[in-house]
């Protein structure tokens, strides 16, 4: 709908109109005055002209009728006056009278019409200057048409001249006004550009007065300064923004910033990863419309719950909930966002991947139940065997008693290894310091193999050793490395089938500057998806094939120990074809002797 524009007159407009009216009135008054004067002068001149004409006619008539008989006078006057009337269309009549006032001859011009306004009649005596007597009179009537013509021509000319003058005057005023407003318009345009943010806009104008040019120069100066200021400001703001963005982007948790209408205004890279988004997919869209991998609007309900809270509640207890994206559990916290002036702007959702923590919690509780179970079993076995031996020992022969004591010994070894695992774990968690000495890895491996010989026999397993000669001595903690080897061995024994062979290898890789120990069994193996996880603390592969009880600590302890020696652990396994567990240690362990890594 077009807006009806109301015409409003400014003081300047009013002054211009007033000036124009005044000048018009003045010009009109002068014109009327001039016309009147001219008219008056013309009338007077016409009157004089009439008088001169009648006088001349009188003298002429006396002259032409001199010495003429009375009868002839009127004839002569007729001829004379008729010829005058013919040649002077302005003369309406000529009338001759005798001294008694009787008309001698009256000549009329029928074609001439006397105008009421301009017409005049003038009479002069007919004088006989020879004897100075009056012989009659002549009256002459003038139509005034001649003077009318002059007068109207003069009036028209004057009006024309004044009209031209008025037009030129009005034109000059308007041009002048236009020129003044043109400069104002240029300035107005400039100010509009500046107010719309186009800093640095310059007014280019030639042909303006010096004062206006100064004003324009001052304007241009101001514009340039504003531009410089704005650029500095933008630079500063960009810097600040970049800093904030860099901080936000490098935050390890996912951050999504939403405005008051649930529109996502900012999202960091980690959040994009966690929510499995591509590029700016979620930016400028409603967060409530986000759908997780299960096809659920996982944020909607909690955001609505959050929005129902009062501002105080929002600030004092942020809404916390878990969402699951592609098997990962994300702890999400919604907290309000305020401006510096404490205005509520929207909210921030921080997402933390707690999958690991939750898994660890589950594994911990599994660990506790496993440990209790694992401890109870040998303790129950020990109690019942000791009970039997104590009460009925005499009734058993020597071999049975030996068998009983053998079982007791195995259970005590199991118990001992379990307690050791738990102790080692707490020691490693507490970063306790252990001594490192120069050791022969070959000798450690031999000693570990001889320790598990009883178990090997129990499971009918053979062991094959393959050791490189000239293995250099390394700086390490004897007990920790021995426990790592034993752990690999006892696991191999646990999961290897009866009558199979366990292969132990010790070799050096000079190009990599490493000494490696591997323990290979022909057991049930580990599916690929679990191979990385078996070194995590408390992790146990639980399925039908992996039903052997344990704490899930052994391999984690091996990994921690080996890493504390600057080495690494690895596993190669194929389900149902066996597993090879191993670790490599750097040959020159003296290099790490004085580092913090001694603390294990
Ligand atoms: P645990 O006390 O349960 O044996 P470990 O940390 O030593 O704990 O082992 C973790 C898991 O790795 C075990 O539960 C088992 O499922 C798997 N595992 C370890 N060694 C072997 C192996 N030689 N063969 C097959 N599975 C193994």
């Amino acid at each position: 709908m077009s807006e009806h524009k109301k015409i409003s007159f400014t003081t300047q407009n009013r002054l211009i109109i007033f000036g124009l009216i005044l000048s018009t009135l003045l010009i009109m008054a002068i014109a009327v005055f001039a016309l009147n004067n001219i008219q008056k002068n013309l009338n007077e001149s016409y009157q004089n002209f009439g008088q001169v004409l009648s006088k001349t006619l009188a003298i002429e008539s006396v002259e032409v009728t001199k010495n003429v008989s009375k009868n002839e006078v009127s004839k002569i006057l007729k001829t004379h006056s008729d010829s005058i009337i013919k040649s002077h269309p302005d003369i309406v009549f000529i009338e001759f009278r005798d001294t008694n006032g009787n008309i001698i001859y009256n000549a009329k011009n029928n074609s001439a019409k006397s105008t009421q306004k301009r017409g005049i009649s003038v009479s002069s005596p007919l004088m006989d200057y020879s004897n100075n007597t009056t012989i009659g009179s002549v009256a002459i009537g003038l139509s005034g048409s001649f003077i009318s013509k002059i007068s109207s021509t003069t009036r028209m000319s004057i009006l024309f001249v004044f009209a031209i003058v008025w037009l030129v005057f009005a034109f000059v005023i308007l041009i002048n006004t236009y020129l003044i407003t043109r400069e104002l318009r240029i300035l107005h345009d400039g100010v509009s550009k500046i107010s719309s943010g186009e800093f640095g806009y310059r007014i280019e104008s030639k042909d303006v007065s010096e004062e206006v040019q100064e004003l324009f120069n001052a304007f241009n100066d101001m514009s340039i300064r504003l531009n410089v200021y704005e650029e500095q400001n933008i630079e500063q703001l960009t810097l600040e923004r970049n800093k904030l963005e860099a901080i936000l982007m490098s935050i390890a948790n996912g951050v999504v910033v939403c405005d008051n209408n649930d529109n996502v205004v900012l999202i960091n890279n980690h959040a994009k990863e966690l929510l499995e988004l591509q590029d700016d997919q979620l930016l400028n869209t409603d967060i409530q419309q986000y759908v997780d991998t299960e096809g659920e609007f996982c944020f909607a309900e909690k955001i609505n719950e959050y929005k129902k809270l009062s501002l105080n509640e929002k600030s004092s207890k942020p809404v916390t909930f878990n969402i699951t994206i592609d098997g990962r559990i994300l702890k999400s916290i919604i907290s309000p966002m305020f401006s510096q002036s404490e205005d509520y702007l929207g909210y921030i959702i921080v997402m933390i991947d707690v999958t690991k923590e939750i898994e660890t919690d589950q594994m911990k509780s599994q660990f506790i139940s496993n440990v209790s179970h694992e401890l109870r079993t040998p303790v129950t076995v020990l109690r019942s065997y000791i009970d039997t031996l104590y009460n009925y020992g005499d009734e058993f022969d020597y071999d049975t008693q030996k068998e009983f004591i053998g079982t007791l010994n195995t259970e005590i070894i199991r118990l001992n290894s379990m307690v050791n695992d738990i102790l080692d774990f707490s020691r490693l968690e507490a970063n306790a310091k252990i001594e490192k000495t120069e050791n022969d890895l070959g000798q450690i491996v031999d000693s570990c193999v001889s320790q598990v010989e009883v178990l090997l026999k129990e499971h009918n397993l053979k062991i094959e050793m393959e050791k490189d000669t000239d293995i250099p001595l390394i700086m390490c903690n004897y007990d920790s490395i021995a426990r790592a080897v034993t752990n690999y061995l006892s696991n191999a024994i646990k999961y290897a089938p009866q009558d199979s062979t366990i292969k132990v290898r010790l070799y050096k890789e000079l190009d990599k500057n490493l000494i490696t120990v591997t323990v290979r069994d022909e057991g049930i193996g580990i599916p690929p998806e679990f191979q990385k996880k078996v070194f995590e603390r408390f992790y146990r592969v639980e399925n039908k094939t992996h039903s052997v009880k344990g704490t899930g600590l052994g391999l984690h302890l091996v990994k921690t120990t080996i890493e504390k020696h600057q080495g690494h652990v690895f596993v190669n396994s194929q389900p149902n074809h066996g597993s090879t567990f191993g670790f490599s240690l750097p040959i020159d362990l003296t290099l790490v002797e004085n580092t913090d890594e001694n603390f294990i």
Side-chain angles (χ1 to χ4, degrees):
M1 214 174 84
S2 72
E3 203 181 302
H4 184 71
K5 216 173 176 186
K6 211 179 147 192
I7 299 170
S8 62
F9 289 104
T10 59
T11 312
Q12 191 192 5
N13 289 338
R14 281 195 213 105
L15 270 175
I16 290 166
I17 293 168
F18 177 72
L20 261 176
I21 293 172
L22 196 71
S23 55
T24 309
L25 288 176
L26 205 69
I27 285 170
M28 275 169 66
I30 292 171
V32 168
F33 178 72
L35 272 174
N36 271 349
N37 254 1
I38 290 168
Q39 202 66 53
K40 209 170 135 200
N41 287 340
L42 269 177
N43 285 346
E44 271 172 24
S45 306
Y46 198 52
Q47 197 78 29
N48 289 343
F49 165 72
Q51 261 164 14
V52 169
L53 196 68
S54 71
K55 264 182 192 157
T56 313
L57 190 64
I59 293 166
E60 244 182 25
S61 303
V62 172
E63 270 312 299
V64 290
T65 54
K66 222 181 216 177
N67 307 323
V68 175
S69 64
K70 256 192 175 177
N71 293 339
E72 295 257 322
V73 168
S74 67
K75 259 191 199 165
I76 287 167
L77 287 176
K78 181 181 180 280
T79 326
H80 187 59
S81 55
D82 283 352
S83 73
I84 289 170
I85 280 179
K86 254 184 209 163
S87 57
H88 291 90
D90 197 38
I91 298 171
V92 183
F93 67 88
I94 298 174
E95 196 178 74
F96 295 97
R97 288 175 191 264
D98 59 17
T99 44
N100 299 325
N102 298 322
I103 294 171
I104 303 168
Y105 178 70
N106 185 3
K108 275 189 186 159
N109 184 357
N110 293 331
S111 60
K113 279 183 189 150
S114 163
T115 55
Q116 273 185 356
K117 245 184 170 180
R118 307 280 179 199
I120 54 166
S121 86
V122 192
S123 71
S124 291
L126 293 168
M127 294 282 292
D128 185 358
Y129 290 103
S130 55
N131 47 21
N132 233 359
T133 53
T134 307
I135 55 169
S137 67
V138 59
I140 190 161
L142 293 172
S143 67
S145 64
F146 171 65
I147 193 151
S148 268
K149 255 185 216 158
I150 292 175
S151 154
S152 73
T153 312
T154 315
R155 198 169 54 237
M156 287 312 288
S157 311
I158 284 178
L159 281 178
F160 180 72
V161 167
F162 277 100
I164 292 283
V165 168
W166 185 86
L167 276 176
V168 169
F169 185 73
F171 184 69
V172 167
I173 285 183
L174 289 176
I175 285 285
N176 204 26
T177 313
Y178 171 78
L179 286 178
I180 292 171
T181 53
R182 184 182 75 110
E183 288 157 1
L184 284 176
R185 266 199 313 279
I186 293 172
L187 200 63
H188 173 264
D189 286 350
V191 172
S192 303
K193 297 256 182 202
I194 294 281
S195 63
S196 67
E198 209 180 302
F199 299 138
Y201 177 79
R202 282 179 65 83
I203 294 179
E204 300 287 355
S205 179
K206 294 165 202 157
D207 202 20
V208 288
S209 66
E210 211 173 301
E211 292 84 356
V212 174
Q213 190 59 56
E214 269 174 33
L215 181 68
F216 283 8
N217 290 345
F219 176 90
N220 288 340
D221 268 5
M222 174 197 76
S223 178
I224 290 167
R225 269 166 216 273
L226 278 173
N227 197 27
V228 171
Y229 177 71
E230 195 209 15
E231 274 169 9
Q232 281 172 351
N233 236 8
I234 287 176
E235 221 169 90
Q236 185 74 21
L237 284 173
T238 319
L239 206 79
E240 289 297 319
R241 198 192 146 90
N242 287 349
K243 248 199 279 178
L244 282 177
E245 254 183 34
I247 293 170
L248 194 74
M249 288 303 164
S250 54
I251 288 176
N253 298 324
V255 179
V256 179
V257 182
C258 298
D259 66 14
N260 217 352
N261 301 318
D262 304 330
N263 277 327
V264 177
V265 289
L266 216 80
I267 178 161
N268 75 351
N269 291 338
H270 202 67
K272 285 182 200 166
E273 264 169 45
L274 293 175
L275 297 177
E276 303 195 336
L277 300 168
Q278 264 146 37
D279 304 324
D280 291 335
Q281 203 184 337
L282 200 63
L283 209 63
N284 298 323
T285 61
D286 188 343
I287 183 76
Q288 294 210 36
Q289 299 306 314
Y290 173 79
V291 180
D292 64 14
T293 40
E294 301 291 303
E296 309 247 323
F297 295 107
C298 55
F299 287 113
E301 191 193 327
K302 291 290 168 180
I303 287 173
N304 285 327
E305 197 178 292
Y306 160 83
K307 283 166 108 177
K308 279 181 201 149
L309 299 176
S310 69
L311 265 189
N312 268 349
E313 286 171 324
K314 278 178 180 148
S315 322
S316 58
K317 47 172 186 186
V319 174
T320 307
F321 57 101
N322 283 354
I323 59 170
T324 309
I325 311 282
D326 204 12
R328 276 185 302 182
I329 303 159
L330 308 182
K331 180 178 176 185
S332 308
I333 305 158
I334 310 181
S335 30
M337 182 174 64
F338 296 99
S339 71
Q340 275 185 342
S341 49
E342 306 265 300
D343 295 325
Y344 178 71
L345 298 176
Y347 51 88
I348 301 174
I349 306 175
V350 176
M351 283 169 292
I352 307 157
D353 188 345
V354 290
T355 322
K356 267 247 159 80
E357 282 80 346
I358 289 185
E359 268 178 16
T360 310
D361 277 354
Q362 282 167 357
M363 285 193 288
K364 259 186 191 164
S365 36
Q366 184 69 39
F367 165 74
I368 290 166
S369 94
N370 284 351
V371 165
S372 340
H373 186 268
E374 289 291 293
L375 286 176
R376 207 174 41 212
T377 315
V379 169
T380 318
V381 173
L382 286 177
R383 258 193 67 193
S384 60
Y385 272 65
I386 290 169
D387 226 30
T388 315
L389 276 177
Y390 183 76
N391 292 317
Y392 313 103
D394 299 345
E395 294 171 24
F396 297 119
D397 58 21
Y398 175 74
D399 282 346
T400 316
Q401 282 183 10
K402 211 178 161 196
E403 198 191 315
F404 266 53
I405 290 168
T407 312
L408 283 172
N409 189 39
T410 315
E411 289 304 318
I412 284 169
I413 290 172
R414 260 185 77 192
L415 204 59
N416 187 42
S417 106
M418 217 174 327
V419 171
N420 275 346
D421 272 5
I422 295 166
L423 282 177
D424 280 352
F425 173 68
S426 54
R427 208 142 48 98
L428 283 172
E429 291 282 292
N431 255 351
K433 189 183 179 184
I434 57 158
E435 295 287 317
K436 278 184 183 172
T437 49
E438 222 172 31
N439 288 298
D440 175 359
L441 216 52
Q443 194 261 313
I444 295 178
V445 171
D446 286 345
S447 135
C448 294
V449 170
S450 62
Q451 265 182 36
V452 294
E453 239 148 38
V454 184
L455 286 172
L456 286 167
K457 265 189 200 153
E458 248 179 44
H459 289 79
N460 266 346
L461 296 167
K462 276 175 263 153
I463 195 147
E464 246 180 55
M465 295 273 275
E466 190 188 319
K467 286 197 287 176
D468 277 5
T469 48
D470 63 7
I471 298 279
L473 298 179
I474 54 164
M475 289 295 290
C476 67
N477 183 278
Y478 184 96
D479 291 340
S480 312
I481 300 296
R483 253 196 310 278
V485 178
T486 313
N487 216 302
Y488 278 171
L489 284 170
S490 56
N491 274 351
I493 295 166
K494 259 199 247 175
Y495 298 103
Q498 295 250 337
D499 300 321
S500 63
T501 307
I502 291 171
K503 285 180 188 152
V504 180
R505 271 190 78 197
L506 170 67
Y507 57 94
K508 58 179 187 296
E509 295 170 272
L510 284 178
D511 54 331
K512 292 183 192 158
N513 210 29
L514 292 173
I515 301 175
T516 302
V517 177
T518 59
V519 178
R520 162 144 192 82
D521 64 66
E522 294 161 4
I524 51 173
I526 304 165
E529 65 269 28
F530 300 126
Q531 288 178 13
K532 263 195 181 166
K533 292 197 157 190
V534 288
F535 287 101
E536 287 175 15
R537 59 183 177 169
F538 311 130
Y539 194 84
R540 308 197 68 250
V541 183
E542 298 275 4
N543 56 32
K544 279 181 208 150
T545 43
H546 286 256
S547 51
V548 186
K549 283 283 173 195
T551 55
L553 274 179
L555 291 180
H556 174 69
L557 289 173
V558 175
K559 183 172 181 266
T560 319
T561 303
I562 297 302
E563 280 174 359
K564 297 276 180 185
H565 281 84
Q566 300 285 310
H568 66 272
V569 291
F570 56 88
V571 57
N572 292 312
S573 181
Q574 248 191 321
N576 303 320
H577 285 90
S579 317
T580 304
F581 278 89
F583 64 80
S584 297
L585 291 173
I587 289 173
D588 197 359
L589 269 181
T590 45
L591 288 177
V592 294
E593 199 182 356
N594 296 321
T595 66
D596 283 350
E597 303 303 325
N598 288 333
F599 293 85
I600 63 168

